[in-house]
Amino acid sequence: MKANFSHINSISTLYIDSWKTTYRDLVPDSYLEKLSYQESEEKWSNFLQKDGASIVAAFSNQQTIVAFGAYEQYSHSSHKGELVALYISEGTQGQGLGTLLMDFIKRDLYSLGVQSIDIWALGKNKRAVNFYKRQGARFVKNQPHEFDGVFLDDVLYTYDLTNNKTCRS
């Protein structure tokens, strides 16, 4: 289901907790230690206020958010969009939630006229990179990103939605 402002606290918590587990040993500990739940709430509240921005969430049986995807249609191009974030709680990874969220996001953006979706990922996050490749994304480029004085490669992948069977079903 699409998330709203009442879900921001849960989304923010999942975001920070996921960074602290997923990116341990990939980015400097000093960077992870500075992550703030309050700043995360501000980030996702501001994101939801943007035109063309959405967050879709998956809930457990206890109605807790266990995964979310944030995405938007680019303001400078009605035919392009971006997957801004895709986070799945550690205990529910590998159960297909990422695929379900991606299918929803692809269909939603395609219905708005978006023809391709960009996604940036940390190159060292092989699990994410492999997931996006399995989803049909193609590599575009590397770009350095600084984390507390350490430069790591971010990688840009793009999904072509015009020939995607998920979008037409």
Side-chain angles (χ1 to χ4, degrees):
M1 86 180 267
K2 283 206 177 175
N4 58 45
F5 289 100
S6 71
H7 301 115
I8 291 297
N9 182 271
S10 296
I11 287 166
S12 300
T13 300
L14 177 57
Y15 175 75
I16 296 295
D17 292 349
S18 292
W19 262 88
K20 289 183 176 186
T21 57
T22 301
Y23 296 101
R24 178 80 51 213
D25 299 325
L26 298 180
V27 301
D29 288 344
S30 58
Y31 182 86
L32 296 174
E33 290 164 5
K34 292 178 190 174
L35 294 175
S36 158
Y37 291 101
Q38 181 178 345
E39 287 176 12
S40 180
E41 284 192 29
E42 292 170 16
K43 169 189 175 116
W44 295 114
S45 291
N46 290 337
F47 179 79
L48 267 184
Q49 292 177 44
K50 292 170 57 176
D51 285 338
S54 296
I55 298 176
V56 61
F59 294 80
S60 70
N61 291 339
Q62 293 77 31
Q63 298 305 308
T64 303
I65 292 178
V66 293
F68 77 92
Y71 57 100
E72 63 185 327
Q73 186 173 12
Y74 283 138
S75 59
H76 64 275
S77 172
S78 62
H79 299 295
K80 289 189 68 79
E82 181 178 6
L83 175 67
V84 175
L86 183 66
Y87 289 94
I88 301 164
S89 67
E90 194 172 33
T92 57
Q93 292 176 1
Q95 298 179 14
L97 289 175
T99 299
L100 288 172
L101 291 174
M102 281 305 305
D103 287 350
F104 180 93
I105 291 165
K106 289 174 187 177
R107 282 192 301 272
D108 195 33
L109 285 172
Y110 186 74
S111 74
L112 299 172
V114 171
Q115 296 174 1
S116 66
I117 304 172
D118 290 340
I119 171 63
W120 286 96
L122 181 63
K124 290 174 72 174
N125 186 349
K126 297 301 180 196
R127 188 171 188 170
V129 168
N130 290 333
F131 171 78
Y132 297 126
K133 286 180 184 177
R134 285 192 312 273
Q135 290 286 310
R138 65 175 178 78
F139 174 80
V140 176
K141 68 178 181 177
N142 290 325
Q143 181 173 306
H145 186 123
E146 182 190 357
F147 295 90
D148 263 6
V150 176
F151 286 89
L152 302 170
D153 274 341
D154 276 345
V155 289
L156 175 63
Y157 283 84
T158 297
Y159 293 104
D160 178 3
L161 299 181
T162 59
N163 294 316
N164 191 299
K165 62 183 175 196
T166 300
C167 296
R168 293 190 303 270
S169 58

